[in-house]
């Protein structure tokens, strides 16, 4: 299915609006990396919990540059990428894929400059150092014994670094991490757990847990979207059918459990959620589904994923979600959720939501 001219028009209008919002942000608060809004405003000094979002602003600038070819966006995109270069050796987070895939990898794809590629590769090498032989996973930022579903969005940069350098050992770690996550965090019905806890001495899996979801045995929507997208990416590197099957199982769960407009609540298990939407999960799912539509070998499912992704983008480019008709709002996409229990970014714009929304919009327009 090709996008209707009406949807293409909405996507172009969303990108124009994003340009205005981002220009306001980087000119009013230069060289800052806000994560989520409070009452629609980016600058508030609220807690970060962990620093995983610093690539998403530069990533949006790269997307705008590619869309407009305006040198203003190119200069800003390079500048915001350079501001995070030092993070390529950051051992404190499990998020170097988020940081460097959205920025330096986009820069490299545009230029083919080996110096830029070296930064991407180094970030992947650093991330691989989180691998634990006992348990066979990349540890999360919270503890040695903790594996997060979110890391499936980051492991791609390790596969990439291994491919670029011919490092079989690094490839093995990325592969084993993906298999461990598939085994312990993805359930038979395609739902996902946020976290897995392991015995540090024996490496045995102990139990599933959550930080941002409703319950340990529930399915936090963004976590599932990370899995849907991330396992698809791992399949595109490995061509191992197990990963495509897992991504498709997650897609099936998403589609079966989400209202017709395509936007889930923060957790599908929460009874009568007070807040009906987690728009960033929808944006990530839309972008991941557009990838899956290309990856799956089944034409009917390809059509379903694309059709469903277009439906999500149609919803998110409407006035309930796009902030273009909300005076004074500084983000792009409303109704996102960062960490409900901690009260961080609840029903707000979130930087990764804006990034994956623009990525999905660009894919709909054929720009990815
Ligand atoms: N920690 C990543 C997320 O909130 O999705």
């Amino acid at each position: 299915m090709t996008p209707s001219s009406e949807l293409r028009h909405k996507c172009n209008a969303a990108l124009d609006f994003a340009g205005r919002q981002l220009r306001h942000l980087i000119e009013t608060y230069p060289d800052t990396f806000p994560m989520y809004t409070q009452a629609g405003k980016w600058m508030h000094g609220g807690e970060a919990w962990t620093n995983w979002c610093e690539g998403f602003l530069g990533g949006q600038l790269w997307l705008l540059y590619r869309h407009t070819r305006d040198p203003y966006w190119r200069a800003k995109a390079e500048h915001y990428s350079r501001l995070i270069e030092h993070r390529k050796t950051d051992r404190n987070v499990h998020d170097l894929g988020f940081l460097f895939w959205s920025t330096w990898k986009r820069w490299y794809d545009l230029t083919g400059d080996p110096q830029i590629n070296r930064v991407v590769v180094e970030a992947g090498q650093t991330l691989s150092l989180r691998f634990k032989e006992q348990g066979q996973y990349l540890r999360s930022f919270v503890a040695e014994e903790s594996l997060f579903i979110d890391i499936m969005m980051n492991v791609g940069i390790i596969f990439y670094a291994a491919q670029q350098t011919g490092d079989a050992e690094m490839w093995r770690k990325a592969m084993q991490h993906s298999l461990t996550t598939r085994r312990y965090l993805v359930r038979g019905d395609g739902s996902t757990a946020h976290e897995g806890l392991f015995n540090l001495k024996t490496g045995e899996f102990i139990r599933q847990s959550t930080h941002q979801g409703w319950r340990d045995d529930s399915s936090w929507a963004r976590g599932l979207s990370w899995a849907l997208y991330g396992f698809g990416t791992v399949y595109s590197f490995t061509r191992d059918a197990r990963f495509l099957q897992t991504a498709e199982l997650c897609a099936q769960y998403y589609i079966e459990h989400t209202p017709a407009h395509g936007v889930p609540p923060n957790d599908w298990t929460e009874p009568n959620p007070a807040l009906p939407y987690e728009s960033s999960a929808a944006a990530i799912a839309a972008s991941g589904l557009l990838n899956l539509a290309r990856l799956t070998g089944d034409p009917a499912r390809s059509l379903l994923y694309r059709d469903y992704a277009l439906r999500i983008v149609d919803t998110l480019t409407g006035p309930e979600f796009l902030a273009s008709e909300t005076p004074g709002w500084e983000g792009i996409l409303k109704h996102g959720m960062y960490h409900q229990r901690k009260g961080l970014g609840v029903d707000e714009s979130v930087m990764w939501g804006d990034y994956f929304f623009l990525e999905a919009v660009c894919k709909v327009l054929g720009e990815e």
Side-chain angles (χ1 to χ4, degrees):
M1 181 184 156
T2 50
S4 64
S5 59
E6 193 201 340
L7 182 57
R8 291 184 66 84
H9 175 76
K10 287 171 81 179
C11 288
N12 279 307
L15 282 161
D16 289 348
F17 172 64
R20 294 195 294 280
Q21 297 297 82
L22 288 163
R23 194 183 279 259
H24 170 77
L25 171 61
I26 61 181
E27 290 185 357
T28 316
Y29 314 109
D31 299 355
T32 58
F33 293 94
M35 227 175 179
Y36 56 91
T37 60
Q38 264 180 23
K41 305 291 184 197
W42 285 120
M43 302 314 284
H44 46 71
E47 185 198 333
W49 189 39
T50 168
N51 295 308
W52 63 286
C53 290
E54 290 74 9
F56 297 128
L57 178 50
Q60 290 175 76
L61 302 175
W62 281 114
L63 290 170
L64 280 178
Y65 170 63
R66 205 188 37 204
H67 177 66
T68 61
R69 296 286 157 181
D70 178 341
Y72 170 84
W73 295 117
R74 172 70 185 257
K76 296 294 182 190
E78 289 192 18
H79 176 71
Y80 276 81
S81 299
R82 286 197 197 288
L83 287 178
I84 64 166
E85 181 178 353
H86 64 285
R87 299 285 302 278
K88 66 190 176 189
T89 53
D90 185 344
R91 302 280 305 269
N92 295 318
V93 298
H94 57 239
D95 306 295
L96 296 186
F98 282 137
L99 270 87
F100 287 88
W101 207 253
S102 50
T103 51
W104 286 75
K105 177 62 165 52
R106 289 191 176 282
W107 194 357
Y108 173 62
D109 288 345
L110 208 63
T111 59
D113 180 344
Q115 304 270 45
I116 295 171
N117 198 34
R118 258 196 282 286
V119 174
V120 183
V121 168
E122 198 175 340
Q125 287 167 328
T126 302
L127 189 61
S128 74
L129 301 175
R130 304 186 76 77
F131 188 73
K132 297 193 64 66
E133 290 298 339
Q134 294 284 45
Q136 302 278 293
Y137 60 89
L138 297 157
R139 58 155 295 196
S140 84
F141 83 97
V142 298
E144 292 273 321
E145 62 266 34
S146 158
L147 160 70
F148 270 27
I149 194 75
D150 320 30
I151 302 172
M152 284 312 300
M153 282 298 276
N154 290 283
V155 71
I157 201 170
I158 303 181
F159 279 110
Y160 179 75
Q163 208 171 53
Q164 293 288 303
T165 55
D167 187 333
E169 187 50 15
M170 198 160 38
W171 184 274
R172 178 187 70 84
K173 289 175 180 171
M175 191 76 186
Q176 288 308 117
H177 171 85
S178 305
L179 289 171
T180 303
T181 308
R182 177 178 184 268
R183 166 81 177 83
Y184 293 116
L185 298 192
V186 184
R187 307 188 186 104
D189 65 352
S191 68
T192 54
H194 184 182
E195 185 184 35
L197 296 172
F198 290 77
N199 180 316
L200 279 181
K201 283 208 181 76
T202 63
E204 277 173 306
F205 174 72
I206 302 172
R207 67 181 174 89
Q208 296 180 344
S209 169
T210 195
H211 293 262
Q212 286 150 283
W214 177 247
R215 279 193 330 224
D216 292 347
D217 65 344
S218 71
S219 201
W220 171 49
R222 189 161 66 256
L224 184 133
S225 293
W226 292 143
L228 181 165
Y229 193 137
F231 278 106
T233 302
V234 170
Y235 173 69
S236 68
F237 277 107
T238 61
R239 295 286 152 182
D240 183 323
R242 291 172 292 182
F243 299 129
L244 178 61
Q245 179 220 22
T246 304
E248 293 204 61
L249 197 60
C250 294
Q252 187 185 325
Y253 185 94
Y254 187 105
I255 292 169
E256 282 176 5
H257 291 80
T258 304
H261 50 59
V263 184
N266 188 58
D267 192 311
W268 282 282
T269 319
E270 181 180 351
N272 307 313
L275 296 166
Y277 306 129
E278 206 298 73
S279 62
S280 79
I284 297 154
S287 193
L289 283 167
L290 289 168
N291 291 351
L292 275 188
R294 284 186 294 102
L295 292 170
T296 183
D298 182 309
R301 287 206 296 274
S302 173
L303 210 59
L304 169 69
Y305 300 151
R306 188 164 170 77
D307 192 22
Y308 195 89
L310 295 186
R311 193 189 314 170
I312 295 175
V313 172
D314 188 48
T315 299
L316 297 184
T317 50
E320 178 67 34
F321 289 92
L322 194 68
S324 54
E325 293 176 20
T326 309
W329 195 275
E330 293 182 339
I332 297 166
L333 193 64
K334 295 187 294 178
H335 304 309
M337 179 93 72
Y338 180 23
H339 200 311
Q340 193 166 16
R341 271 175 224 213
K342 282 179 172 284
L344 309 178
V346 176
D347 200 16
E348 294 287 346
S349 288
V350 292
M351 199 52 89
W352 63 92
D354 287 1
Y355 171 77
F356 285 102
F357 169 63
L358 295 190
E359 185 182 81
V361 160
C362 289
K363 284 179 184 173
V364 170
L365 293 174
E367 294 178 12
E368 278 281 272

